[in-house]
């Protein structure tokens, strides 16, 4: 009789466990615009880690650069469980509308505040609550160069802008394009920001504050405008409208000596069969090795049916192994400062070493400035570049005007 009762009890426990597992639905519909081969492989590193913990990943990948499709669904009341956004101010409207779930419990348990750069932590929190999980950090200010061209011309990595201009004169005399420039507004903004971060990193920071007028009128900003303007003499006639990947391949093939782009350029070099430190070099300088960081993060719209899965997914995203696996393929850096990058490429290791110094971590404008102000900056930088006769003062005046007319 006792045996029969124990068997019945065992059956009841099994039933309760089964019912509990069914109630604890760990499925999450994940929206991204990562649809290329490399991006899909990188994303799979997160999906695999999530599913290894019992989650069910429902993929919703939509090509395109805009987050508008995700926002439309969330606002319309048909949210996904997680969506990829740029880390920073882009989540503000959804937060203000009360459409996001916090992930405070995960952030507290995993000590995110201590493990992330301060401005990344600030970018994912609103009113003391955490609303996004950052999966990577991307440095926007790399100078990539052809090892073969540098060797042919007999030059070393320039440590200052004076040395850079001297090197470019030699490269130009050798019949090689010194600087492959993608003449699109966002690429030109990256180039200008690199110069500004190199010659006046404090000014770069100050421009993101209420004291922006003093920053724009400073000698450091004027110096950056002067150097940026001089660089016009070293690109080629094919620059206007050029896609960034085309500029990278100009360096990979030796048609050009150098170009400036974010760390996603590594994917193009890899596709061309080139290896860092062997076929191409990467510099955070000249002048300063400060790093401008942007990144991607996932938000978690309010969707009660997927809440358990959201919590699990958030915990997986900042796991050290997941961050390294994802970013090794993506070409970016881990968002966390305690990741072991010893097996990642030398450019990533170089940047992560610099990031240990808080003074050298510079937030991308997307972390702090509004979309309107960022768009205004893109416009005035592109206009200045396209007018070869424009003096540095014209960029100062135009930049000040756009800041005064936007919030």
């Amino acid at each position: 009789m006792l045996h029969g009762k124990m068997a019945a009890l065992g059956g009841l426990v099994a039933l309760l466990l089964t019912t509990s597992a069914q109630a604890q639905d760990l499925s999450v519909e994940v929206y991204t615009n990562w649809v290329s081969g490399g991006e899909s492989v990188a994303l799979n590193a997160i999906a695999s880690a999530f599913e290894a913990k019992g989650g069910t990943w429902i993929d919703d990948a939509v090509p395109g650069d805009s987050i508008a499709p995700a926002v439309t669904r969330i606002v319309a009341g048909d949210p996904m469980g997680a969506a990829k956004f740029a880390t920073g101010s882009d989540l503000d409207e959804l937060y203000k509308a009360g459409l996001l779930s916090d992930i405070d419990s995960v952030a507290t348990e995993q000590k995110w505040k201590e493990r992330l750069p301060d401005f990344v932590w600030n970018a994912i929190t609103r009113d003391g609550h955490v609303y996004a999980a950052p999966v990577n950090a991307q440095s926007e200010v790399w100078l990539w160069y052809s090892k073969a061209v540098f060797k042919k011309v007999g030059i070393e990595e320039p440590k200052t802008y004076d040395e850079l201009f001297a090197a470019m004169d030699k490269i130009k005399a050798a019949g090689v394009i010194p600087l492959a420039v993608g003449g699109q507004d966002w690429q030109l903004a990256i180039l200008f920001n690199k110069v500004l971060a190199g010659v006046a990193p404090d000014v770069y920071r100050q421009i993101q504050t209420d004291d922006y007028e003093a920053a724009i009128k400073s000698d450091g900003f004027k110096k950056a405008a002067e150097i940026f303007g001089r660089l016009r003499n070293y690109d080629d006639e094919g620059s206007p409208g050029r896609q960034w990947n085309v500029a990278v391949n100009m360096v990979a093939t030796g048609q050009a000596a150098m170009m400036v782009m974010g760390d996603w350029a590594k994917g193009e070099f890899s596709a061309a069969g080139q290896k860092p430190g062997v076929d191409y070099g990467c510099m955070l300088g000249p002048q300063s090795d400060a790093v401008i960081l942007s990144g991607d993060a996932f938000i978690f719209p309010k969707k009660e049916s997927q809440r358990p899965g959201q919590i699990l997914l958030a915990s997986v995203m900042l796991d050290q192994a997941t961050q390294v696996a994802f970013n090794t393929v993506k070409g970016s850096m881990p968002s966390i400062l305690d990741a072991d990058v010893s097996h990642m490429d030398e450019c990533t290791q170089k940047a992560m070493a610099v990031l240990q110094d808080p003074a050298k971590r510079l937030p991308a404008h997307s972390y702090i400035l509004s979309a309107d102000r960022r768009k205004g900056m893109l416009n005035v930088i592109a206009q200045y570049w396209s007018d070869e006769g424009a003096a540095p003062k014209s960029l100062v005046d135009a930049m000040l005007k756009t800041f005064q007319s936007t919030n």
Side-chain angles (χ1 to χ4, degrees):
M1 191 69 174
L2 181 60
H3 176 74
K5 289 183 178 179
M6 292 298 292
L9 182 59
L12 178 60
V13 170
L15 177 62
L16 289 172
L17 288 174
T18 301
T19 304
S20 175
Q22 290 173 344
Q24 189 80 342
D25 182 0
L26 296 176
S27 62
V28 179
E29 180 190 359
V30 184
Y31 174 96
T32 76
N33 59 359
W34 286 331
V35 296
S36 74
E39 289 171 336
S40 298
V41 173
L43 192 61
N44 188 58
I46 299 176
S48 297
F50 176 59
E51 294 186 335
K53 294 285 184 69
T56 300
W57 179 285
I58 303 171
D59 195 53
D60 181 19
V62 178
D65 295 331
S66 174
I67 60 173
V71 173
T72 298
R73 277 191 56 185
I74 297 168
V75 171
D78 178 32
M80 60 294 293
K84 193 217 80 172
F85 271 47
T87 309
S89 60
D90 287 351
L91 61 79
D92 283 348
E93 294 304 315
L94 294 175
Y95 163 70
K96 291 174 183 176
L99 297 173
L100 300 181
S101 293
D102 72 70
I103 46 175
D104 294 350
S105 59
V106 178
T108 299
E109 181 183 351
Q110 295 185 341
K111 302 185 186 329
W112 287 11
K113 187 174 183 179
E114 291 78 15
R115 299 170 61 211
L116 293 168
D118 54 356
F119 57 82
V120 177
W121 171 256
N122 293 336
I124 63 173
T125 56
R126 298 292 184 275
D127 296 325
H129 297 283
V130 183
Y131 290 98
V135 293
N136 65 358
Q138 293 183 303
S139 174
E140 299 183 352
V141 292
W142 289 103
L143 188 150
W144 308 94
Y145 66 91
S146 165
K147 289 271 191 177
V149 171
F150 271 39
K151 183 177 180 180
K152 173 185 174 182
V153 179
I155 56 178
E156 302 291 334
E157 288 189 0
K159 294 181 174 58
T160 66
Y161 275 97
D162 286 340
E163 290 182 9
L164 176 66
F165 285 119
M168 288 196 295
D169 286 334
K170 291 182 179 179
I171 293 165
K172 194 172 185 178
V176 177
I177 298 167
L179 187 66
V181 177
Q184 298 172 320
D185 56 4
W186 67 273
Q187 296 187 64
L188 293 171
I190 285 177
L191 180 56
F192 175 76
N193 286 331
K194 175 178 179 58
V195 175
L196 180 59
V199 299
D202 291 343
V203 172
Y204 177 90
R205 284 184 183 276
Q206 188 180 14
I207 207 172
Q208 297 176 332
T209 71
D210 291 339
D211 199 20
Y212 63 80
E213 184 171 343
I216 294 171
K217 291 181 176 180
S218 69
D219 290 341
F221 189 93
K222 294 172 186 174
K223 181 65 175 177
E226 176 192 346
I227 291 172
F228 181 65
R230 285 182 65 187
L231 291 173
R232 302 184 193 108
N233 300 319
Y234 297 95
D235 66 350
D236 65 297
E237 293 181 355
S239 171
R242 176 182 288 144
Q243 298 289 333
W244 68 270
N245 57 309
V246 174
V248 176
N249 280 292
M250 290 173 66
V251 176
T253 59
Q255 183 182 355
M258 292 173 275
M259 64 93 61
V260 170
M261 186 50 57
D263 49 22
W264 51 89
K266 287 185 288 188
E268 293 299 313
F269 282 113
S270 296
Q274 298 209 333
K275 296 181 179 180
V278 178
D279 303 297
Y280 67 92
C282 52
M283 290 177 51
L284 289 169
Q287 215 86 6
S288 166
D289 59 356
V291 182
I292 295 178
L293 292 173
S294 59
D296 299 298
F298 282 81
I299 61 169
F300 301 91
K302 287 186 175 177
K303 187 160 189 174
E304 200 58 36
S305 63
Q306 295 190 14
R307 183 60 176 165
Q310 290 176 330
I311 295 297
L312 177 62
L313 181 57
S315 70
V316 166
M317 284 179 167
L318 266 74
D319 176 78
Q320 290 180 332
T322 304
Q323 289 247 331
V324 170
F326 169 79
N327 287 290
T328 296
V329 179
K330 189 71 169 61
S332 46
M333 299 179 291
S335 64
I336 52 176
L337 296 170
D338 58 348
D340 179 4
V341 298
S342 59
H343 296 293
M344 298 182 75
D345 67 83
E346 71 169 43
C347 300
T348 297
Q349 293 184 42
K350 185 183 296 185
M352 290 298 288
V354 172
L355 291 182
Q356 300 311 311
D357 181 354
K360 293 185 177 181
R361 304 174 198 154
L362 302 178
H365 293 318
S366 58
Y367 282 107
I368 297 169
L369 301 182
S370 69
D372 286 345
R373 185 161 285 179
R374 298 195 317 262
K375 182 61 178 176
M377 292 183 71
L378 295 186
N379 289 338
V380 299
I381 290 169
Q383 289 168 8
Y384 176 69
W385 179 269
S386 63
D387 182 359
E388 295 191 4
K393 186 178 184 302
S394 67
L395 180 58
V396 172
D397 294 341
M399 189 69 74
L400 188 57
K401 184 177 180 180
T402 198
F403 266 65
Q404 291 170 339
S405 62
T406 54
N407 295 317

